[in-house]
Amino acid sequence: MPEQQAALHQAMETQVVNIAKSGIVCALPARASILAAANPIGGHFNESKTVAQNLKMDGFLISRFDVVFILLDRANKEIDTYLSKSVVAGFGRRKRRIAEIVEDEEAECPIEEILKLPLAARLRQYGKRLSPHDLLSIKLLKKYISYARKNIHPILSEEARREILDFYLHLRQQSLEGIPVTVRVLESMVRLSKARARLEMRELVTTADAQDAISLMRATLLEARERGDQEERAVTQSQSSQNQSQQGRRGRGRGRGGKQQMIRTFLAELQERARRENNDVFRRGQLMEIARGMNWNLDPDGIDQLNNAGYLLKKGPQVYQLQAL
């Protein structure tokens, strides 16, 4: 599995798949949108663990997805009523409208008021106003998406650019334990904003597009942050009940902290050399020599661990590319 994840990582990072088999060496383009679904190990999501631990998937691969949503089966009267009636309706007459399945007890909001609502509330209101004439056929929807992707290429307005940058800088200043807020988050928000504008056939990304993208990103990050807080509380309770083992854990924590600090220093040195030499590709011998200059014994297994963690990307035999941090 680690080898397969590394292959997926290269395809998602560089959008190229390198093949070296039966004397054939080539690089194939792999440009595609990826929509993936996964079930947690053990059959249920353990809220005391991170997403990567629940899926038994390395974090560097998960970080390549723009948004990651966690769907939990929690008791909710409104959702449970909707789901149960939808299932029962499937055994009745065919092609029954959704509006006939769920009784809408709330009054419909005017369209002007709906446009002022947050993204989640807006989508719920749109769903309540659906009629058979509003639904597109799959054939027409495919043509619509194909045309938009081919002919519509939005650019960011100054207001949208400022909105995205302000939110990104806000995330960087916050302490999101266990959640890396890197340039990839900024790129994800830009892609989501452009996709939102492309959906409406517009060449300019507006502030509303940026705010919808931020809402998606905030939902993803806050969900992960809540899981991190729950995990931290569980660890704190466990430590308070075991005073003797607490000192041992602190010692190991300092050891891990020293190694993490060494890795950060090593990566900073690689970044400086890449900037100075205008080349972010290093051979294995170069990496080991740079580490020795820092009094760090970096062996080939350690380089493979940096590759699996997403700091380096293996480009060929003993050749690695430094990734953006």
Side-chain angles (χ1 to χ4, degrees), residues 224-244:
R225 185 179 185 182
E226 290 176 359
R227 311 244 172 271
D229 293 342
Q230 292 172 353
E231 181 181 4
E232 183 179 356
R233 287 194 296 269
V235 172
T236 303
Q237 293 174 358
S238 175
Q239 288 179 342
S240 62
S241 63
Q242 299 178 3
N243 295 327
Q244 293 181 352

Side-chain angles (χ1 to χ4, degrees), residues 89-100:
F91 296 94
R93 56 191 179 93
R94 302 173 62 184
K95 297 184 179 179
R96 192 176 183 185
R97 285 182 53 196
I98 297 177
E100 297 175 0

Side-chain angles (χ1 to χ4, degrees), residues 168-187:
Y168 173 72
L169 294 177
H170 174 69
L171 288 180
R172 291 284 293 178
Q173 292 173 359
Q174 283 186 327
S175 177
L176 297 180
E177 190 70 25
I179 308 172
V181 181
T182 64
V183 180
R184 293 192 188 96
V185 176
L186 181 61
E187 294 173 345

Side-chain angles (χ1 to χ4, degrees), residues 311-323:
Y311 297 121
L312 300 175
L313 177 63
K314 191 171 184 179
K315 303 290 289 185
Q318 299 187 7
V319 178
Y320 298 85
Q321 183 182 30
L322 179 65
Q323 298 301 286

Side-chain angles (χ1 to χ4, degrees), residues 6-17:
L8 287 173
H9 171 230
Q10 179 189 7
M12 297 180 69
E13 176 68 20
T14 64
Q15 297 183 335
V16 172
V17 175

